[in-house]
């Protein structure tokens, strides 16, 4: 039954509503008075069904793509709600005459985004992607959260298949870009490592097309190859050798990172609250971008030294029993290998690694789990605990205790408490290793 007949609304007309009601919601549990509700669809839900509820809770308008749910002129009909959200974000982006730094990579995206924002915010009014809202829904929501007083935005873009970065770049329209690295992540969706490179390089292709600036780690041969293939010419280099805009050196990572760096004119050094030598390149990237935007070394260093890692990425937590490296937000073979190497560098009398399965590796999964199990067993650790069916397949082949499920590991840790260890806790998000922290 059609309650109310309405015509399709244009992006331009919707933008007029957005300018008066700039808060966007996609969840009826988070409705704020005067927001615009976008009724997105998923595999198992149709938010058109909740549009009236959003209006009742105080939304100014509800954007729908099924006319039968319209009840008044506060229901705005579009052909496709998701496409409309993305088009609205594109339109808003075009009104913003500011630098937008687009950021992607296999590892370190969120940490790099946070570090870049921490540095730039010492001088500029900045906006950075909240949390990991970095997909086909999160990026439009991020763009639509940028207010008129923002001077620089940092937009994180994630992907697990090709053409996704191409889409996100078209929405965010970055003037500057950076790929942190390319590694063994989302191999299933990308179709292998070469597919990862091709997918991430879509950002380089966009920057080539729009004559944008690219920040690149000159120490990374994969990135150099990718930018050469793309034909980029506005390149700003950082790395450990002479001839870069920023030259850096890792002075210490035991347990926190200290970096010395120079920008051809001034030498400086900074101590951070980050653990993990793999974060050295993320720190250099933030320094390079701050320097490019005319920030003084003192401002850059203040931003870096004041940054506190969060969201269970490279966090060093002292509990009543142990010191725990909380790095269980996500995992892939590249980041897992780097975390194990870092564990071997940090000074501690006793060390334990608790490693959970790595997801989305496709046909490469058995081989990659075997390689990590081998690396861990040869790392000289006092204890290794492997969790998940993929690691469990190698029980008996390598040193360590193996559990098929996190629940089994939970029971073991409850009965066999670990004391006075440096503990690495790392696995894919779906393993929910945070539930083990109570025993550590």
């Amino acid at each position: 039954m059609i309650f109310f007949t309405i015509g399709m609304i244009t992006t331009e007309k919707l933008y007029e509503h957005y300018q008066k009601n700039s808060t966007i919601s996609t969840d009826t549990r988070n409705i704020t008075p005067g927001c615009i509700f976008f009724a997105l669809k998923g595999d198992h839900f149709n938010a058109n069904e909740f549009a009236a509820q959003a209006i009742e809770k105080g939304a100014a308008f509800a954007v729908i793509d099924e006319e039968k749910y319209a009840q008044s002129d506060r229901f705005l009909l579009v052909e496709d709600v998701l496409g409309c959200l993305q088009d609205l974000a594109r339109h808003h982006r075009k009104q913003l005459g500011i630098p937008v730094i687009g950021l992607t990579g296999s590892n370190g995206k969120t940490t790099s985004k946070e570090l870049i924002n921490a540095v730039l915010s010492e001088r500029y009014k900045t906006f950075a992607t909240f949390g990991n809202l970095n997909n086909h829904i999160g990026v439009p929501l991020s763009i639509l959260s940028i207010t008129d007083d923002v001077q620089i935005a940092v937009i994180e873009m994630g992907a697990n298949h090709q053409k996704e970065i191409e889409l996100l770049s078209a929405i965010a329209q970055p003037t500057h870009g950076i790929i942190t690295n390319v590694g063994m992540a989302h191999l299933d969706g990308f179709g292998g490592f070469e597919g990862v490179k091709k997918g991430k390089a879509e950002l380089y292709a966009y920057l080539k097309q729009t004559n944008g600036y690219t920040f690149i780690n000159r120490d990374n041969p994969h990135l150099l190859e990718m930018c050469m293939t793309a034909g980029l010419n506005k390149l700003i280099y950082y790395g450990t050798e002479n001839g870069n805009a920023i030259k850096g050196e890792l002075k210490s990572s035991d347990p926190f990172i200290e970096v010395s760096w120079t920008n051809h004119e001034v030498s400086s050094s900074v101590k951070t609250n980050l653990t993990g030598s793999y974060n050295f390149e993320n720190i250099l990237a933030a320094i390079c971008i701050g320097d490019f935007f005319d920030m003084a070394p003192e401002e850059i260093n203040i931003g870096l030294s004041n940054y506190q890692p969060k969201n269970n990425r490279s966090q060093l937590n002292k509990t009543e029993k142990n010191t725990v490296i909380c790095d269980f937000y996500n995992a892939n073979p590249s980041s897992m290998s780097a975390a194990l190497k870092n564990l071997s560098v940090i000074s501690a009398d006793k060390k334990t690694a608790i490693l959970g399965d790595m997801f989305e590796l496709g046909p490469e999964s058995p081989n990659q789990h075997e390689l990590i199990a081998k690396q861990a067993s040869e790392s000289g650790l006092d204890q290794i605990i492997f969790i998940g069916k993929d690691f469990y397949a190698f029980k008996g082949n390598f040193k360590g205790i193996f559990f098929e499920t996190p629940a089994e590991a939970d029971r073991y840790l409850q009965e066999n408490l670990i004391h006075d260890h440096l503990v690495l806790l790392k696995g894919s998000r779906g393993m929910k290793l945070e539930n083990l922290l109570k025993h550590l």
Side-chain angles (χ1 to χ4, degrees):
M1 177 179 178
I2 298 177
F3 295 98
F4 193 84
T5 302
I6 55 176
M8 292 279 183
I9 190 170
T10 65
T11 299
E12 291 73 20
K13 184 62 178 177
L14 180 58
Y15 191 68
E16 292 178 15
H17 290 309
Y18 162 79
Q19 288 178 300
K20 299 172 186 175
N21 307 275
S22 59
T23 301
I24 305 296
S25 175
T26 60
D27 189 336
T28 54
R29 294 169 296 184
N30 300 316
I31 296 295
T32 56
C35 72
I36 300 178
F37 174 72
F38 280 74
L40 297 173
K41 292 176 179 175
D43 294 336
H44 305 291
F45 67 91
N46 178 0
N48 282 275
E49 298 171 1
F50 308 109
Q53 185 182 124
I55 295 293
E56 290 170 7
K57 287 187 172 184
F61 298 98
V63 180
I64 60 175
D65 51 20
E66 295 184 36
E67 190 176 4
K68 67 181 181 180
Y69 292 101
Q71 297 182 12
S72 71
D73 58 3
R74 292 169 65 186
F75 292 76
L76 308 177
L77 183 65
V78 299
E79 186 173 332
D80 175 70
V81 171
L82 175 59
C84 171
L85 178 68
Q86 294 171 343
D87 287 343
L88 185 66
R90 285 189 191 93
H91 188 79
H92 180 55
R93 171 65 186 100
K94 290 177 181 176
Q95 319 308 312
L96 300 169
I98 62 170
V100 171
I101 301 166
L103 183 151
T104 190
S106 297
N107 301 304
K109 288 187 299 295
T110 300
T111 298
S112 293
K113 176 256 300 181
E114 295 290 344
L115 287 169
I116 292 165
N117 185 52
V119 167
L120 292 175
S121 62
E122 287 297 314
R123 174 176 290 197
Y124 300 99
K125 170 69 174 176
T126 62
F127 172 87
T129 299
F130 179 75
N132 67 328
L133 288 174
N134 62 12
N135 64 5
H136 61 294
I137 297 172
V139 168
L141 291 175
S142 295
I143 294 296
L144 290 167
S145 297
I146 301 175
T147 54
D148 291 341
D149 58 341
V150 169
Q151 295 172 292
I152 302 178
V154 187
I155 301 297
E156 179 182 336
M157 299 185 290
N160 56 21
H161 57 269
Q162 291 171 29
K163 298 298 182 182
E164 194 167 2
I165 295 298
E166 180 181 283
L167 168 68
L168 300 181
S169 295
I171 295 170
Q173 300 164 40
T175 54
H176 303 68
I178 179 170
I179 300 176
T180 57
N181 51 53
V182 285
M184 307 293 280
H186 304 296
L187 297 179
D188 196 17
F190 280 115
F193 181 62
E194 289 302 314
V196 174
K197 290 167 62 177
K198 184 178 179 181
K200 298 301 183 183
E202 290 164 11
L203 175 57
Y204 286 168
Y206 179 87
L207 293 168
K208 170 63 177 178
Q209 177 186 342
T210 57
N211 201 30
Y213 290 89
T214 305
F215 302 98
I216 182 165
N217 180 0
R218 207 172 201 160
D219 297 340
N220 190 312
H222 298 300
L223 297 181
L224 288 175
E225 174 199 339
M226 290 158 60
C227 80
M228 291 284 287
T229 301
L232 296 169
N233 48 27
K234 286 187 174 179
L235 296 168
I236 302 96
Y237 292 106
Y238 59 94
T240 57
E241 302 296 329
N242 292 324
N244 296 317
I246 295 296
K247 175 188 176 183
E249 181 183 354
L250 179 62
K251 302 297 288 187
S252 175
S253 59
D254 184 12
F256 298 112
I257 297 176
E258 181 179 356
V259 173
S260 64
W261 61 275
T262 178
N263 62 357
H264 298 308
E265 298 175 358
V266 180
S267 295
S268 187
S269 64
V270 59
K271 292 181 179 179
T272 75
N273 296 299
L274 279 164
T275 188
S277 56
Y278 47 85
N279 277 309
F280 169 61
E281 59 191 53
N282 301 329
I283 293 168
L284 276 195
I287 293 170
C288 184
I289 291 172
D291 181 73
F292 177 85
F293 284 102
D294 298 320
M295 294 185 64
E298 295 78 14
E299 293 175 302
I300 293 171
N301 288 345
I302 289 171
L304 291 172
S305 61
N306 286 343
Y307 172 71
Q308 294 287 343
K310 50 192 175 183
N311 299 326
N312 302 312
R313 293 177 172 92
S314 304
Q315 279 180 253
L316 196 69
N317 290 350
K318 289 189 178 296
T319 69
E320 292 182 2
K321 306 184 194 74
N322 303 286
T323 299
V324 183
I325 302 173
C326 294
D327 199 8
F328 45 79
Y329 183 83
N330 220 333
N332 58 54
S334 301
S335 65
M336 189 77 87
S337 177
L340 285 167
K341 289 176 183 175
N342 178 63
L343 184 62
S344 68
V345 169
I346 300 177
S347 300
D349 292 334
K350 299 177 182 178
K351 299 180 183 181
T352 291
I354 302 176
L355 309 178
D357 276 355
M358 304 171 289
F359 295 167
E360 297 184 60
L361 297 180
E364 274 290 307
S365 184
N367 181 50
Q368 295 301 324
H369 280 87
E370 182 179 18
L371 289 173
I372 292 299
K374 183 175 187 294
Q375 179 184 348
S377 68
E378 294 174 353
S379 295
L381 301 172
D382 296 279
Q383 184 174 215
I384 310 166
I385 297 174
F386 296 101
I387 306 171
K389 62 181 180 61
D390 293 309
F391 275 129
Y392 192 82
F394 300 100
K395 181 182 180 181
N397 294 9
F398 300 103
K399 170 188 174 182
I401 305 169
F402 291 75
F403 298 102
E404 281 194 280
T405 67
E408 293 172 25
D410 186 287
R411 288 192 292 272
Y412 173 83
L413 289 171
Q414 190 173 358
E415 298 169 0
N416 299 271
L417 294 177
I418 299 172
H419 284 280
D420 302 319
H421 279 226
L422 174 65
V423 181
L424 169 65
L425 189 58
K426 188 166 182 65
S428 280
R429 182 86 290 276
M431 295 300 295
K432 299 181 179 179
L433 295 187
E434 65 272 15
N435 294 330
L436 303 181
L437 197 55
K438 61 182 179 288
H439 301 308
L440 302 174

